[in-house]
């Protein structure tokens, strides 16, 4: 909209007379024009127009008392616009007139207060630690002069006797029979929210006292008291420690009054609970004196007295019940927000919550026992249900209070929420492991399944579900984000190669990983005995009772209860990987009915948590439970119910609601695994009709053009599973040849469709990977699929490229499919694969090389051409390592064995030569020389000659690398002698001795008997020869599994020499690695010796032993693990308690590595290990010292490296076993880390990005503390003479903070923007400040996050 042409003071004056017009429409439009002029003008265009502003204020005050409501609202808008443009001298008079305004014509008496609130919110909100703007400072002065005295009734801070007049009666004061004005409290809340950080202590104290007097007045309304609680809680954020202590002391005095009424007690408890949520870190220390007052109305004595009073009078004391409800709410808040401070009161809190979760004065004790006892009654459930309902009817007929008059359900719901708080905050490595949650809480929750009130019953089910989920989390795999499903070949191959390195074969190094989707459930799950102790054992003992109780609820309860019950059953099955074997038949009927429930029915008539329950959600949960049951139970358990399960699930596939249809297809996949071999061994003829039914419904949805894209994609995926499973063992296969052919044609057709392409690729991959020995794959189909998959390699979608390449890898690994490819197809496919032979994407490069290796063995002439040779020469000069390098050597070996390696050899020698890394190029040439033999055009002797005659060190290094690789591959038949390598140990060249040592070790790994004695003899020499010999030994130990002779003959000799050689400072690192690798070979001998060295008097020896232990953890096998298991935890405790700082840092690295590689040994013992890590993450002042650097003093923190290692370990533990770590302790360290050095800030930010997904509840509760740390980081300004590196580090830290800020705001909207949530008040203010002061940077960060999500 264009700005008004009369946006001048004169334009304002022309509008003012119209504000008194008799026509309300003219008054409204004039105010609208006035607002437009004020907004169009600059912030200072009225600063010199005192008369104009004064007249405008008078007119607006008159408009506020207008008889027309719309005119009043428009006048309030103008007040806000005028406030920022009025001269500072007019702000105080403006506040005075607004606060004294009495409306006579208006029905709404809140208009003056609303105008005051708009006035307050018009100014930029000041931020803690940031200098307020000039306009904000001027506004505060006006508020301090006028508004605060007007609220409290007296002058708080004197600004001069001549100018300040004593205020009239305070807006927050009670006079005579008048009541407190609720609107005045709203003004107070807005004042504290906007200017709380600028208030002086005297003002805070005055506002606090005025607010507290509201609670004592008898005529104060309930609404006013609730608002006063919010005001005092909001004010507590800005109170100094002294004022907060005085407030708590005042509350304690009130609690100790002898004539405290129930209403006063409830109000005090509510206030304390609100303070605990608002300022938990500062309020927590006071809980040791306040908690007893909260627990008092929840005691056993109070409980019995309540029941006795109810029995005598026939009605419950509503005021006493309100006190109990408030106490339970406060208790829940303490447990969630001040978990550490509530630990001493854990038992009392549990007992109180358990006591009142069953508090139901509307039901007699006998009836309650009967309701509880029916949980174990499995024979007469129907009769018991009928009796229960009849009993309830009789109870009402006897004249007891009706459910409409009974508010005890609120107490029971609050008690259930308190139990949920205990479970959510104290289960991680705490009460769950000790068995308290299952021994005390779970049985009581089960007995309350027959709760009369829907909301309470849902809370009970949710609470028990949380406990079961925590049990499941305590044994699950590390957390990963949604969307991180792309297969990482490099990491997967390296993980497998670590296990196979000592097995001596690289033939299976790059075997396709088993397809988890099609192979999951390949063998029928067998019931295993539960553990003897621990959370899962506790769950196993109680699961039968839970399942029987839930089965009753599924037959008789409401929609919301059924949904919650099904979720609980699913969590039980997930946690136990079974558990329904004896009960599935009982829950199957109501489960199938839930799947068939009519669409459109919902529980919208219910209240609370029941409101989200709908028929669609119930069906989705039921289908998910069917999937989980099929995946975790033996087929013999499910087989009797197949005739009813399959039709119900098949019907759900055709549901109009896409989420139901998609979930049904997931259930279909699970049913297919049950119905197909080998899980269905012996029952294939009976199952064929059901498989055909599923086949038809899958095919229909896959071909449907009117179905949702997600449904079609899932149908294609299910079709891939059916093809992979249904065509196994073709003589008893579930699909006929015609069905199989039709399905494969559909997959090919879907592969050509853009919307379903990725799903089709994965389905084809499953089919090819699971049919390695199948001979009925059609040749024409295979060729078309290969070319289509190859065409996808040019697409921009990396996920599609990776999936297509994985499918081609499995196609090449499938002998029948590979034999179907003709020369023309192979040539075309080679051209499509060549662009991927590039170092730009190492993950795709590794898979591409694997595919080429298979193709070379099938059609060497068509594959190996000039393009492939050029691409190999391009990647061989780049720094390769690990799995990718091994894949390259596998390809080169295949080329050599197929006698087509001569052109490549020429290119490697002429075009590459010494231009690349000699180690990599030498391995490539050496592999090709050995595998190709005489066909490559060069001999081994040529490189020996090159080594002896070359004058260039690079050529010598390349020749050494070639000879070392050749010696390794030739083994004992190698003509090379150790002397050929060792004579270069004394070379003065910088690179030649190290290259000789590496080549010596590589060749020695192929012929240990010939080389190792010579190398061991060299270790006796001090100096560089000893150091080089250690590197040679490292190479031998690294590849000892592929050696042709036994290394065990030399292990003791090696051990002695390695220990001796490692004493030298230069040899420590490589010596420790050698000792670690040697320990893996003979753990029974050397692991106890390492443990003994951890107790050595020498700090250096202990450090060497710690490093050696770390090297054992990644390259080990099951035999080693059996020896390590009883020793690892004692060794870690010994290392982490070492007196030497550097050794403790190394020990943290060992724990980090052990968590990655030996999690089954580490996780059960985290209760003892985590405190040691947390201890090392704290700043130790005794390690901080000052160093004089010229004229400047510089602080050096010797503990920084240890703290950094501690945070790295905490990060690893968080990912691997968050459910076993106390979230309170972890978040405390993360928030502390946000105020530490730069490296630790980065780690803490990274942990927050993960925790916002792992534990959004606890993250939301910590937003205020996070906001304080982030504000201090962003508010820091570097010095003018700061060096470039400091500025760059600061910019990096600010960007990281803004990125996490945006992430938290996006993912936690309910917490981050909670206008009514006092706990998030600091975060809200911080977010507003960031949005204004860092608007451009925040926009860039948001765009970056969006691009990453896409």
């Amino acid at each position: 909209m264009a700005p008004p042409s009369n946006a001048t003071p004169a334009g304002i004056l022309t509008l003012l007379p119209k504000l008194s017009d008799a026509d309300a429409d003219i008054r409204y439009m004039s105010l609208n024009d006035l607002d437009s002029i004020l907004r169009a003008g600059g912030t200072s265009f009225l600063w010199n127009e005192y008369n104009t502003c004064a007249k405008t204020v008078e007119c607006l005050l008159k408009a506020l008392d207008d008889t027309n409501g719309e005119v009043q609202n428009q006048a309030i808008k103008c007040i806000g616009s005028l406030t920022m443009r009025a001269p500072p001298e007019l702000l105080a008079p403006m506040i005075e007139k607004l606060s004294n305004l009495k409306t006579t014509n208006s029905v709404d008496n809140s208009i003056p207060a609303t105008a005051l609130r708009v006035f307050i919110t018009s100014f930029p909100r000041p931020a803690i630690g940031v200098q307020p703007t000039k306009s904000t400072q001027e506004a505060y002065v006006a508020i301090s002069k006028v508004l605060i005295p007007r609220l409290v009734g007296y002058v708080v801070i004197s600004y001069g006797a001549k100018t300040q007049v004593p205020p009239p009666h305070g807006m927050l004061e009670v006079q005579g029979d008048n009541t407190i004005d609720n609107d005045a409290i709203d003004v107070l809340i807005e004042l504290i929210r906007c200017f709380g950080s600028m208030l002086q202590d005297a003002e805070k104290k005055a506002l606090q006292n005025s607010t507290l007097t509201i609670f004592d007045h008898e005529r104060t309304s309930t609404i006013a008291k609730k608002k006063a609680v919010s005001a005092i809680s909001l004010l507590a954020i800005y109170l100094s420690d002294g004022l907060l202590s005085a407030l708590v002391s005042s509350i304690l005095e009130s609690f100790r009054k002898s004539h405290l009424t129930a209403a006063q007690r409830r109000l005090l408890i509510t206030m304390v609970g609100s303070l605990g949520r608002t300022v938990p870190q500062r309020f927590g220390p006071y809980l040791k004196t306040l908690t007893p007052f909260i627990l008092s109305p929840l005691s056993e004595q109070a409980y019995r007295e309540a029941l006795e009073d109810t029995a005598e009078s026939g009605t419950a004391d509503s005021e006493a019940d309100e006190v109990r409800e408030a106490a339970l709410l406060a208790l829940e808040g303490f447990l969630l927000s001040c978990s550490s401070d509530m630990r001493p009161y854990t038992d009392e809190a549990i007992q109180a919550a358990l006591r009142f979760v069953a508090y139901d004065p509307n039901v007699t004790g006998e009836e309650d026992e009967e309701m509880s006892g029916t949980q174990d009654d499995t024979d007469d459930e129907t009769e018991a249900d009928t009796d229960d309902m009849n009993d309830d009817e009789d109870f009402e007929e006897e004249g007891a209070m009706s459910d409409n008059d009974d508010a005890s359900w609120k107490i029971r719901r609050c008690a259930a929420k308190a139990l949920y708080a205990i479970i959510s905050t104290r289960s991680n490595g705490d009460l769950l492991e000790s068995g308290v949650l299952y021994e005390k809480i779970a049985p009581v929750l089960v007995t309350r399944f027959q709760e009369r009130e829907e909301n309470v019953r849902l809370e009970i089910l949710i609470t028990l579900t949380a406990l079961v989920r925590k049990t499941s989390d305590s044994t699950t795999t590390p957390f990963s984000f949604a969307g991180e499903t792309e297969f990482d070949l490099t990491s997967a191959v390296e993980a497998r190669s670590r296990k196979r390195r000592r097995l001596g074969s690289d033939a299976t190094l790059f075997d396709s990983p088993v397809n988890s989707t099609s192979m999951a459930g390949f063998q029928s799950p067998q019931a295993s005995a539960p553990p003897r102790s621990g959370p899962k054992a506790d769950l196993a003992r109680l699961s039968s009772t839970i399942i029987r109780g839930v089965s009753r609820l599924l037959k008789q309860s409401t929609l919301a209860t059924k949904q919650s019950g099904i979720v609980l059953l699913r969590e039980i099955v997930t946690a136990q990987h079974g558990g329904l074997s004896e009960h599935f038949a009982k829950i199957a009927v109501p489960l199938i009915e839930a799947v068939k429930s009519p669409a459109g029915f919902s529980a919208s008539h219910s209240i609370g948590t029941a409101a989200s329950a709908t028929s669609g959600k119930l069906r989705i949960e039921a289908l998910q439970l069917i999937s989980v049951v099929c995946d975790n139970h033996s087929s013999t358990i499910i087989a009797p119910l197949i005739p009813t399960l399959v039709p119900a699930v098949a019907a759900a596939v055709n549901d109009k609601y896409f989420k139901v249809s998609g979930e049904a297809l997931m259930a279909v996949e699970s049913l297919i695994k049950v119905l197909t071999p080998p899980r269905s061994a012996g029952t294939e003829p009976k199952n064929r009709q059901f498989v055909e039914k599923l086949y038809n419904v899958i095919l229909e949805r896959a071909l449907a053009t009117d179905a949702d894209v997600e449904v079609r994609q899932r149908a294609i995926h299910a079709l891939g599973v059916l093809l992979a499973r249904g065509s196994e063992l073709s003589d008893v296969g579930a699909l006929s040849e015609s069905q199989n052919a039709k399905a494969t044609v559909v997959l090919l057709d879907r592969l050509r469709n853009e919307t379903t392409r990725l799903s089709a690729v994965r389905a084809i991959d499953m089919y090819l990977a699971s049919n390695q020995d199948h001979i009925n794959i059609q040749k024409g189909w295979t060729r078309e699929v290969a070319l289509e998959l190859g065409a996808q390699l040019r697409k921009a979608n990396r996920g599609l490229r990776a999936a297509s390449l994985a499918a081609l890898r499995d196609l090449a690994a499938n002998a029948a499919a590979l034999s179907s490819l003709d020369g023309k197809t192979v040539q075309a496919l080679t051209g499509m694969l060549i662009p991927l032979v590039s170092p730009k994407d190492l993950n795709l490069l590794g898979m591409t090389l694997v595919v080429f290796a298979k193709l070379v063995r099938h059609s060497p002439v068509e594959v190996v051409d000039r393009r492939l040779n050029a691409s190999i020469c391009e990647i061989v000069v780049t720094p390769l390592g690990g799995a990718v390098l091994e894949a390259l050597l596998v390809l080169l070996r295949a080329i050599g064995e197929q006698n087509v390696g001569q052109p490549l050899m020429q290119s490697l020698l002429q075009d590459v030569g010494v231009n690349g890394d000699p180690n990599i190029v030498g391995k490539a040439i050496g592999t090709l020389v050995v595998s190709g033999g005489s066909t490559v055009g060069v001999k081994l002797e040529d490189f020996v000659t090159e080594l002896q005659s070359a004058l260039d060190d690079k050529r010598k290094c390349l020749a050494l690398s070639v000879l070392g690789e050749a010696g390794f591959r030739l083994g004992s038949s190698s003509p090379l002698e150790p002397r050929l390598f060792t004579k270069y140990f004394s070379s003065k060249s910088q690179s030649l001795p190290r290259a000789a040592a590496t080549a010596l070790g590589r060749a020695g790994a192929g012929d240990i008997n010939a080389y190792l004695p010579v190398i061991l003899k060299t270790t006796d020499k001090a100096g560089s020869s000893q150091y080089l010999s250690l590197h040679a030994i490292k190479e031998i130990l690294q590849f000892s599994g592929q050696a042709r002779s036994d290394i065990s003959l030399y292990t003791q000799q090696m051990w002695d020499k390695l220990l001796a050689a490692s004493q030298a400072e230069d040899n420590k690192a490589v010596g420790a690695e050698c000792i670690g690798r040697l320990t893996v070979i003979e753990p029974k001998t050397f692991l106890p010796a390492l443990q003994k060295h951890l107790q050595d008097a020498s700090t250096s020896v202990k450090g060497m032993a710690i490093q050696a232990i770390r090297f054992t953890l990644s390259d080990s096998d099951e035999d080693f693990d059996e020896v390590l298991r009883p020793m690892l935890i004692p060794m870690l405790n010994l290392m982490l308690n070492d007196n030497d700082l550097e050794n403790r840092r190394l020990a943290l690295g060992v724990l980090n590595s052990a968590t990655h590689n030996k999690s089954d040994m580490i996780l059960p013992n985290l209760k003892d290990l985590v405190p040691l890590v947390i201890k090392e993450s704290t700043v130790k002042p005794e390690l901080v010292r000052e160093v004089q650097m010229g004229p400047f003093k510089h602080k050096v923190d010797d503990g920084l490296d240890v703290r950094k290692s501690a945070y790295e370990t905490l990060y690893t533990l968080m990912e691997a076993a968050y459910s076993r770590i106390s979230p309170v302790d972890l978040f405390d360290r993360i928030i502390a880390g946000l105020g530490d050095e730069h490296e630790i800030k980065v780690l803490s930010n990274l942990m927050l990005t993960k925790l916002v997904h792992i534990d959004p509840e606890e993250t939301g509760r910590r937003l205020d503390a996070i906001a304080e740390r982030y504000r201090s980081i962003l508010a820091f300004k570097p010095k003018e003479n700061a060096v470039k590196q400091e500025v760059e580090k600061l910019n990096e830290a600010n960007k990281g903070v803004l990125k996490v800020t945006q992430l938290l705001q996006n993912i936690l909207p309910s917490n981050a923007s909670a206008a009514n949530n006092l706990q998030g008040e600091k975060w809200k203010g911080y977010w507003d400040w960031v949005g204004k002061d860092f608007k451009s940077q925040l926009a860039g960060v948001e765009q970056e996050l969006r691009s990453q999500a896409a």
Side-chain angles (χ1 to χ4, degrees), residues 824-886:
K824 184 178 179 181
T825 304
V826 171
Q827 283 184 336
L829 192 58
T830 299
M832 298 171 180
L833 287 167
I834 285 294
L836 297 183
V837 185
S838 167
K840 296 179 181 179
D841 192 329
L842 295 181
N843 191 38
L844 296 184
L845 173 61
M847 280 194 284
T848 305
L849 296 175
V850 171
V851 175
F852 266 122
K854 300 290 185 181
L855 292 177
V856 165
R857 289 190 169 90
H858 174 257
S859 304
V861 177
E862 288 80 3
V863 176
V864 182
D865 56 13
R866 179 180 53 81
R867 296 173 301 170
L868 179 60
N869 292 340
S871 298
I872 292 175
C873 291
E874 179 186 356
I875 63 171
V876 85
V877 297
T878 58
L880 302 178
V884 178
L885 178 58
E886 292 296 327

Side-chain angles (χ1 to χ4, degrees), residues 489-765:
L489 172 83
T490 304
S491 59
V493 170
E494 287 179 348
R496 291 198 303 279
S497 66
R498 284 196 296 266
K499 299 298 182 182
R500 290 173 175 153
R501 187 172 291 161
R502 298 184 59 238
L503 301 181
S505 174
D506 62 355
T508 58
L509 184 62
F510 290 95
D511 285 349
S512 305
V514 177
N515 193 298
S516 59
T517 307
S518 62
M519 293 298 107
F522 189 80
Q523 297 294 338
S524 191
Q526 299 297 323
S528 57
R532 296 181 180 179
S533 61
K536 294 192 72 174
D538 297 333
L539 175 60
R541 285 190 288 269
L542 191 63
S543 60
S544 295
T545 306
I546 298 175
I547 295 167
R548 283 196 293 268
V550 173
S551 66
R552 286 171 51 81
L553 294 178
L554 294 180
K555 295 176 183 177
Q556 66 183 21
S557 297
T558 62
L559 191 70
T561 299
K562 289 181 179 180
Q563 180 176 321
S564 297
I566 289 174
V567 172
L568 174 57
L569 290 176
R570 188 188 69 219
E571 294 297 336
I572 289 175
V573 175
T574 302
Q576 298 185 109
H577 300 291
L580 291 184
S581 300
E582 300 177 1
H583 310 278
F584 186 56
K586 297 175 185 176
I587 68 168
V589 174
L591 190 60
I592 293 172
E593 290 178 357
V595 173
K596 295 179 179 179
S597 59
F601 178 77
S602 69
S604 57
H605 61 280
S606 302
I607 59 176
T609 53
S612 62
T614 63
S615 175
K617 290 183 178 180
L618 176 64
R619 300 178 75 190
I620 289 172
E621 297 293 349
L623 289 165
Q624 288 179 352
L625 178 56
I626 290 174
S627 298
V628 172
V629 169
C630 291
D631 291 340
N632 291 277
H633 291 80
S634 172
S635 299
T636 57
I637 304 297
I638 306 166
L641 299 166
I642 287 294
T644 54
L645 277 174
V646 170
V649 175
V653 171
N654 293 314
D655 194 88
K656 293 181 180 179
Y657 185 32
F658 75 97
K659 289 187 177 180
V660 173
S661 180
E663 204 60 54
L665 285 165
M666 299 287 285
V668 164
E669 291 185 15
S670 299
L671 285 171
I672 288 171
K673 297 169 187 176
V674 173
L675 294 170
T676 53
R679 286 185 62 175
S680 64
T683 61
E684 291 81 5
K686 283 192 298 184
N687 294 341
R688 189 177 294 276
Q689 59 174 321
F690 303 116
V691 175
E692 290 182 355
K693 184 175 184 63
L694 296 177
Y695 169 83
N696 292 329
V697 75
I698 292 172
L699 212 59
E700 180 184 350
R701 299 311 283 170
L703 294 172
T705 56
D706 58 341
D708 187 85
V709 173
E710 182 180 343
V711 173
R712 279 184 285 160
Q713 291 173 344
R714 290 198 174 181
I716 292 167
H717 192 276
L719 186 60
V721 173
L722 181 57
L723 277 173
R725 300 293 298 257
S727 54
E728 286 287 336
L729 307 175
S730 57
D731 55 331
V732 292
L735 296 180
S736 63
E737 289 189 11
S738 60
Q739 290 174 328
N740 188 83
K742 184 177 181 181
T744 54
V745 171
V746 170
L747 288 183
L748 179 58
D749 179 67
R750 297 295 88 186
L751 178 60
R752 291 167 175 157
N753 186 292
E754 185 175 357
T755 58
T756 57
R757 184 169 288 149
L758 182 58
S759 299
V761 168
R762 290 171 176 165
I764 290 170
D765 189 12

Side-chain angles (χ1 to χ4, degrees), residues 298-330:
L298 304 176
S299 64
E300 177 67 23
Q301 180 181 354
Y303 177 77
R304 294 188 179 278
E305 290 175 356
L307 294 180
E308 291 172 2
D309 293 343
T310 303
E312 291 177 2
S313 62
T315 58
D317 186 347
S318 60
E319 289 190 349
D321 281 353
E322 288 178 355
V323 172
R324 297 182 189 103
E325 180 186 356
L328 287 167
L329 285 172

Side-chain angles (χ1 to χ4, degrees), residues 919 923 960-961 964-965 981 985 991-1004 1028 1031-1036 1039:
N919 188 39
K923 286 185 176 183
L960 283 169
S961 181
E965 185 67 22
F981 304 99
F985 279 13
S991 57
L992 196 57
R994 181 68 176 271
T998 302
L1000 175 65
R1002 186 74 169 167
L1028 294 171
H1031 275 281
I1033 292 175
K1034 184 185 76 170
E1035 286 289 322
I1036 290 178
F1039 298 97

